[in-house]
Amino acid sequence: MRFERTVMAGIGVCQRFTTAKGQRAAVISHVSGQRDLVVYHPKDPDTALHTLVLTRSEAQAVATVLDEAVTVDHVAELERRLPGVSVVRIPVSAGSPADGRPLADTGLAGQPLALLAVVRDGTVVPTPGDGYVLHVGDEVVVAGAEAATSAAADLLAGG
């Protein structure tokens, strides 16, 4: 990814970039520490669609989350009772092809595993149906052989 850096006298620095999918955005770093994350119109790179204003600490928190590795939590107690079966919580990551799609369209249905639940905002939805739509931040709880749970994690991780 290439960044175009522009010094903005009296304001700070603007760093524009284009993602691999052609989305245009910028981070404006103000002298005060404030950070603005700007998303531009896809057909007009000079028209801002959205601006997210962050304090310095909020920007650092977001940077930390963006830099985190995707982790899969194992449910150790169930695994001890069922040798050969892994029970995992898989987060739906930003950029995941599963984001905004019903479970039936995620590719999980073709995997040799059991869908146990989806955790959304701390609420557990046990055995959701094929029409249940996943969103970034959801955690999908599945059980199966290690190879199947790893394949499920790959499907949900972000392509």
Side-chain angles (χ1 to χ4, degrees):
M1 180 181 312
R2 191 180 101 203
F3 286 84
E4 296 175 18
R5 186 173 188 268
T6 305
V7 175
M8 302 168 70
I11 297 172
V13 176
C14 175
Q15 297 184 69
R16 288 186 181 214
F17 59 94
T18 303
T19 68
K21 292 189 177 191
Q23 299 163 308
R24 294 182 185 106
V27 175
I28 300 172
S29 301
H30 294 259
V31 176
S32 67
Q34 174 181 311
R35 302 291 190 262
D36 297 342
L37 178 60
V38 182
V39 178
Y40 294 101
H41 191 283
K43 294 181 181 172
D44 182 1
D46 294 322
T47 300
L49 288 178
H50 305 286
T51 300
L52 184 63
V53 177
L54 303 169
T55 64
R56 182 183 303 240
S57 62
E58 289 170 335
Q60 289 171 340
V62 170
T64 299
V65 169
L66 290 173
D67 194 40
E68 282 182 3
V70 174
T71 58
V72 176
D73 294 331
H74 289 262
V75 183
E77 183 61 29
L78 283 174
E79 289 180 351
R80 277 195 293 274
R81 293 182 188 173
L82 302 168
V85 174
S86 292
V87 180
V88 297
R89 290 172 63 151
I90 305 167
V92 178
S93 303
S96 170
D99 180 29
R101 299 183 74 181
L103 281 165
D105 294 344
T106 62
L108 290 176
Q111 300 297 318
L113 48 78
L115 175 63
L116 303 177
V118 172
V119 181
R120 177 177 290 160
D121 297 325
T123 301
V124 177
V125 179
T127 58
D130 287 344
Y132 188 86
V133 177
L134 294 175
H135 298 287
V136 169
D138 288 351
E139 291 181 304
V140 179
V141 183
V142 296
E146 175 99 22
T149 58
S150 291
D154 290 343
L155 283 169
L156 298 175

